[in-house]
Amino acid sequence: MTLLDDFLVRATLAGLGLVLAAAPLGCFVVWRRMAYFGDATAHAAILGVALALAFDTSVFGGVLVVSLLMAFTVSSLSNRGYAMDTLLGVLAHSALAFGLVAVSFLQGVRVDLMAYLFGDILAVGVPDLAVIWGGATLVLVLLWWRWSALLTATLNPDLAFAAGIDPRREQLVLTLALALVVAVAIKVVGVLLIAAMLIVPAATARPFATTPERMALAAIAIGALAVIGGLQASLEWDTPTGPSIVCLAAILFTLSSIAQALFGRARP
Amino acid sequence: MSGLNVQLGGQTVLHHVDFSIDSGEIVTIVGPNGSGKSTLLRAIIGAVEPGAGAVTCKPGLRIGYVPQKLHIDPTLPMTVRRFLDLPQRVHDEAARDALDEAGAGALSGRQMSGLSGGQFQRVLLARALLSKPELLILDEATQGLDQPGSAAFYQKIAEVRDHLGCAVLMVSHELHVVMAASDRVVCLNGHVCCQGEPEHVASAPEYRALFGTGTGGALALYRHEHHHSHDHDPDHAHEAAE
């Protein structure tokens, strides 16, 4: 375990574990235009933190339960045809506000709110690593198992029905995976930047991919680069680590967009 | 195929719809907007639950479905070949055969988002053919195609039917083309107004009441182009004949 004694090694492993799950799931978030959905689920997590601390249970469990509740609520409301962007905007930010207020009620516990809002990847311990990799593996297995059905349902719900796939069930799979990723990511990048880890690597990978699988793999590679580079940068310049990772991912996205604008236009 | 019997009750868009289709038959559903044409197809593939009544079909019936429109988000990279692998992977040979059959042989490596409307519909057809369907369902499959394009597409459908012996159930707005390509026409407006051979339906009073003299004129134009004109309603006849 000598390797894991190094906080930098633990932080890198934590980031890579998150990327492994968040990048492929993020592709679905991008393809299905669920960015706000991810935001709402992530922001609800702070409420989960407050509840977990109030009832003295594990933060991971509290976040998972509340994120699941939020994800299922949004998911079922979207099937009823509400105006989604407004509704998600309301839910996402009110969940965050209620969470922050709930945390302030906690007495006797000193809560480092910043750690939950922006993550505290450098403080990741070995038990955290186990949780992160366990959750990430679960998400990967889920996505691997349902991959084809998920893609078909993403393309067109009726196409899925005709092939004997229930798109509502596939949406539940994504909902579950999303809640898991949020619970895994809270320690790494915090509730405010989880959506970034979902969307930015996937969007960066898009110009270089010809099939969904290649896009997912490229997103993992780009996310991993952002994690490793962001960690180094934050050590070098003493910047907050989670935001540094997201900044690097955003820079990679910009470069990828420029590359597409320069070289992509040649073939229509 | 034992045939389908669809009954949807309550205040839904379809009231007590009874109809069946046999193998080898090409049946077209026509009807005004909001008449429940797509809903009927979606009930057959199981995308909507009937409020009352039931859809019965042969156990293990293989359905090939070509949706009305398929919007592929530009963020989703998808080659034609990869698209054919959804939801089940198929052999290269089977994929090539299906593409050839649908008249889309050269498109295998192209991105779905880069296809023209006609190419896109052919790829959708190829994908539907991969399951060797016993029932092929097409929902306004020629929307957005020009008239030669859609005529060629219907020609293709007839060839596929002859080749596979499958039943074909389709919805279309292009009455003049469809009438010529179908064995049977079902005129739908929440319920089955009338059905039968194209000529029979075209002359039925229920059909004329639904589509007015304009479309009736177009049909008459199609059927009797050389000795029939509709001077009393030239705009409609012209518009529908385009």
Side-chain angles (χ1 to χ4, degrees):
Chain A
M1 287 305 234
T2 45
L3 194 62
L4 290 181
D5 288 344
D6 185 351
F7 77 96
L8 195 59
V9 172
R10 290 196 304 270
T12 309
L13 284 176
L16 292 181
L18 168 63
V19 161
L20 215 50
L25 181 65
C27 289
F28 280 104
V29 171
V30 168
W31 296 332
R32 297 168 72 104
R33 310 207 160 191
M34 288 165 56
Y36 241 141
F37 188 102
D39 247 359
T41 310
H43 287 181
I46 201 75
L47 195 58
V49 171
L51 288 177
L53 293 175
F55 292 104
D56 205 18
T57 58
S58 90
V59 168
F60 178 80
V63 167
L64 186 61
V65 168
V66 174
S67 298
L68 263 181
L69 278 178
M70 178 59 121
F72 280 124
T73 307
V74 174
S75 181
S76 55
L77 285 177
S78 76
N79 287 342
R80 295 197 192 140
Y82 283 85
M84 278 318 284
D85 58 341
T86 307
L87 191 65
L88 281 172
V90 171
L91 284 174
H93 297 106
S94 46
L96 186 61
F98 274 108
L100 293 174
V101 169
V103 169
S104 78
F105 277 124
L106 293 173
Q107 302 200 334
V109 200
R110 275 192 49 82
V111 185
D112 181 8
L113 205 53
M114 289 298 274
Y116 293 109
L117 289 177
F118 297 106
D120 197 4
I121 192 174
L122 298 182
V124 163
V126 175
D128 295 322
L129 266 186
V131 166
I132 289 170
W133 276 84
T137 309
L138 207 58
V139 170
L140 271 185
V141 168
L142 208 57
L143 289 180
W144 190 278
W145 172 46
R146 304 305 308 167
W147 186 263
S148 226
L150 281 169
L151 268 181
T152 311
T154 298
L155 272 180
N156 183 286
D158 286 348
L159 216 57
F161 272 121
I165 297 162
D166 188 344
R168 289 163 299 195
R169 194 183 54 199
E170 303 313 321
Q171 184 165 354
L172 282 186
V173 169
L174 283 182
T175 306
L176 182 66
L178 196 59
L180 269 170
V181 163
V182 167
V184 161
I186 191 164
K187 188 86 185 177
V188 180
V189 287
V191 291
L192 291 181
L193 294 174
I194 291 171
M197 289 311 283
L198 287 167
I199 294 163
V200 182
T204 309
R206 172 62 188 98
F208 310 111
T210 51
T211 64
E213 291 75 19
R214 285 182 204 161
M215 179 159 156
L217 289 177
I220 292 178
I222 289 160
L225 188 62
V227 163
I228 294 168
L231 267 172
Q232 296 301 332
S234 100
L235 288 181
E236 183 75 21
W237 292 301
D238 195 23
T239 50
T241 314
S244 302
I245 292 172
V246 175
C247 283
L248 183 54
I251 290 169
L252 290 174
F253 171 76
T254 311
L255 292 178
S256 140
S257 303
I258 291 172
Q260 186 190 24
L262 289 182
F263 308 111
R265 289 288 146 78
R267 51 184 164 86
Chain B
M1 182 186 304
S2 65
L4 294 160
N5 185 321
V6 184
Q7 274 192 337
L8 290 172
Q11 45 135 21
T12 44
V13 282
L14 295 169
H15 311 281
H16 305 292
V17 173
D18 275 301
F19 104 108
S20 67
I21 178 166
D22 294 316
S23 58
E25 205 180 10
I26 298 188
V27 175
T28 302
I29 302 171
V30 297
N33 286 335
S35 61
K37 304 185 295 290
S38 292
T39 309
L40 181 62
L41 296 192
R42 299 186 72 228
I44 295 173
I45 61 170
V48 288
E49 295 281 327
V55 181
T56 43
C57 43
K58 195 185 99 174
L61 178 77
R62 293 190 302 274
I63 295 180
Y65 177 68
V66 179
Q68 182 169 23
K69 55 181 187 301
L70 186 63
H71 171 75
I72 294 191
D73 200 276
T75 59
L76 176 55
M78 182 70 76
T79 59
V80 169
R81 180 64 188 86
R82 180 66 188 89
F83 177 69
L84 296 180
D85 272 335
L86 290 173
Q88 267 143 22
R89 298 219 172 248
V90 292
H91 287 295
D92 281 341
E93 202 178 331
R96 203 163 42 235
D97 286 351
L99 284 173
D100 283 342
E101 175 111 53
L107 302 176
S108 188
R110 297 270 298 273
Q111 281 288 311
M112 293 292 286
S113 51
L115 299 181
S116 74
Q119 290 170 329
F120 200 96
Q121 291 303 330
R122 280 161 194 271
V123 170
L124 287 180
L125 178 62
R127 184 188 164 279
L129 294 178
L130 274 172
S131 62
K132 297 266 173 280
E134 296 160 286
L135 174 61
L136 186 60
I137 297 180
L138 302 104
D139 191 355
E140 307 232 12
T142 57
Q143 222 177 28
L145 300 191
D146 59 11
Q147 198 166 358
S150 59
F153 191 80
Y154 285 121
Q155 183 66 38
K156 206 54 152 176
I157 299 292
E159 282 171 32
V160 165
R161 187 268 310 259
D162 295 341
H163 187 199
L164 289 179
C166 59
V168 179
L169 179 62
M170 51 189 180
V171 159
S172 184
H173 269 132
E174 290 162 301
L175 300 167
H176 43 299
V177 185
V178 157
M179 288 287 185
S182 313
D183 300 322
R184 189 149 59 90
V185 174
V186 177
C187 178
L188 194 72
N189 189 23
H191 59 282
V192 177
C193 295
C194 55
Q195 60 172 311
E197 290 178 5
E199 275 87 355
H200 169 75
V201 169
S203 60
E206 295 93 337
Y207 178 87
R208 296 209 165 236
L210 266 186
F211 290 100
T213 47
T215 347
L219 274 171
L221 267 178
Y222 178 79
R223 293 283 167 195
H224 319 284
E225 256 173 329
H226 308 295
H227 56 273
H228 202 126
S229 68
H230 281 259
D231 297 335
H232 60 280
D233 197 4
D235 288 344
H236 272 98
H238 178 69
E239 181 183 291
E242 269 179 351

